[in-house]
Amino acid sequence: MTASPSTATVLGIETSCDETAAAVVSERTRIRSSVVSSQVDLHATYGGVVPELAGRAHLELLTSVVADALQRAGVLPAPADGAGRAPRPSLDAVAATIGPGLMGSLLVGVSEAKAMALAWDLPFVGVNHLEGHLFAALLENEAVEWPLTVLLVSGGHTMLVSMEGPGRYRQLGATLDDAAGEAFDKVARFLGLGYPGGPLIERAAEAGDPEAFVFPRALLDDGLDFSFSGLKTAVVRAVRKRPEASDADVAASFQAAVVEVLVAKTVRGALAAGAKGLCLAGGVAANGPLRAALTGAAQELGIPAYLPSRAMCTDNAAMIAAAGWWQLEHVGPSPLDTAADPALRLPVVA
Ligand code: KG4
Ligand code: ZN
């Protein structure tokens, strides 16, 4: 029997980039399992994600990642006796990221999710990856007051969003060029630190002086949009001028410039939108100095800061299952011919 939506159990699948992930979430926010298999080692040799390799790796990994998530969640019934057919797990829907992301990677997750939905006679829910990131903080903080100003900072996106409730988003600002995570990755590659750059820059910066270099803070006093493309060029120029400078000082000064801009814009956006809370989302939200600065800014504004745990900041499938759960209840299932869309945008209200 299918559960009522509020108690529904949803399997989420995420394969938009280089994490192969599956998770089971019940009753809106109860994470029963969350399995993430990272392809970082596979792509590290190339200094970035190689789309062709990512797609193939998802294909190899996804079935066992899903089996693991179902097993850990305890939703698998006892094996059917000798029928040879996989028994139907206790689920109410299968949700998968349909975009944005790499086409070859998205297709793997979407196809497998649809196949499972069809085989188990369950609804399929196509989830927007960006909306998934917005749900990550809600998974761990149930009672929030709206609107929230959310800084969504990942490897592919940098957006400032006023979340007026689940499913109701207003875009306040966005990057005009590079995403914040992309800037971390590019500078880390230039310094020869490795991939992905964010955590490596953060670690290198711990021993550095954030005031050793004064890097540009683009558009700091101008509106709610961001620009990071000039920052990498400034880092390259500064290092060529002072080749004796330590990686730690460069990393710390670069990180300080990014964090200052991100937090200043979030505060400006929150004031403009009348925010009742600040929220972080996306891989860069795992950054310690950013988390600390945003927490301080929220305190100054007298509103709470909702920071997802680090595991919920980077790509995972629990956030996809949570967004899928909400969509199932408020919008309904997606047709089985819903296509993957690499350029899918966050749906915004006027
Ligand atoms: O959300 P995510 O896992 O994947 C995308 O949807 O893009 O974000 C990945 C990005 C990468 O650019 C990575 O360098 C960055 O998040 N990142 C960080 C940290 N951890 C991951 N950036 C700064 N500090 C970190 N600790
Ligand atoms: Zn992401």
Side-chain angles (χ1 to χ4, degrees):
M1 201 180 75
T2 306
S4 76
S6 56
T7 58
T9 296
V10 178
L11 167 66
I13 290 179
E14 157 61 39
T15 63
S16 67
C17 191
D18 60 344
E19 316 283 5
T20 312
V24 175
V25 172
S26 289
E27 295 125 30
R28 286 194 301 152
T29 54
R30 187 158 72 90
I31 302 174
R32 296 175 61 173
S33 67
S34 179
V35 180
V36 180
S37 173
S38 174
Q39 302 175 9
V40 159
D41 295 345
L42 176 67
H43 301 287
T45 335
Y46 305 95
V49 178
V50 184
E52 166 74 15
L53 294 182
R56 263 193 275 166
H58 286 307
L59 208 50
E60 280 165 23
L61 293 166
L62 185 57
T63 305
S64 59
V65 167
V66 168
D68 199 9
L70 295 174
Q71 170 77 38
R72 288 182 197 212
V75 293
L76 286 176
D81 43 344
R85 213 182 125 116
R88 188 177 186 274
S90 321
L91 295 171
D92 299 293
V94 183
T97 301
I98 54 167
L102 303 168
M103 189 48 146
S105 294
L106 290 167
L107 282 176
V108 176
V110 171
S111 310
E112 182 141 335
K114 286 178 180 175
M116 286 188 287
L118 203 59
W120 294 329
D121 194 20
L122 292 170
F124 165 73
V125 189
V127 174
N128 184 310
H129 180 80
L130 301 172
E131 197 165 11
H133 274 302
L134 297 181
F135 269 80
L138 303 181
L139 261 171
E140 295 164 314
N141 297 285
E142 275 197 66
V144 301
E145 258 194 279
W146 311 106
L148 291 181
T149 293
V150 190
L151 175 67
L152 171 49
V153 268
S154 70
H157 297 86
T158 294
M159 294 172 78
L160 199 53
V161 176
S162 179
M163 191 170 182
E164 293 169 5
R168 290 183 58 79
Y169 316 112
R170 271 195 311 124
Q171 184 171 317
L172 302 173
T175 184
L176 302 175
D177 39 57
D178 290 355
E182 200 177 345
F184 271 95
D185 294 337
K186 283 181 175 174
V187 168
R189 196 178 317 155
F190 169 68
L191 294 176
L193 296 178
Y195 174 85
L200 299 167
I201 294 266
E202 182 177 354
R203 202 170 315 142
E206 279 166 17
D209 173 7
E211 291 173 9
F213 293 88
V214 181
F215 290 129
R217 272 80 167 149
L219 306 176
L220 184 62
D221 299 314
D222 184 7
L224 296 172
D225 288 330
F226 306 84
S227 169
F228 294 109
S229 67
L231 191 50
K232 189 210 149 185
T233 318
V235 170
V236 172
R237 265 203 220 116
V239 171
R240 296 219 167 112
K241 229 164 141 187
R242 276 170 53 187
E244 76 291 352
S246 73
D247 284 353
D249 282 351
V250 178
S253 304
F254 160 79
Q255 182 174 256
V258 176
V259 168
E260 185 178 337
V261 173
L262 290 177
V263 174
K265 300 270 177 180
T266 307
V267 168
R268 188 173 303 144
L271 291 171
K276 303 256 173 50
L278 301 185
C279 188
L280 274 178
V284 183
N287 184 269
L290 174 61
R291 296 168 77 87
L294 200 93
T295 305
Q299 271 164 4
E300 277 182 31
L301 290 171
I303 56 178
Y306 301 106
L307 308 182
S309 62
R310 282 180 169 78
M312 284 298 129
C313 291
T314 45
D315 286 349
N316 66 85
M319 67 186 197
I320 302 303
W325 179 92
W326 183 86
Q327 213 169 303
L328 183 69
E329 179 164 21
H330 296 272
V331 185
S334 312
L336 267 184
D337 61 358
T338 303
D341 180 356
L344 192 65
R345 299 173 71 96
L346 185 71
V348 290
V349 293

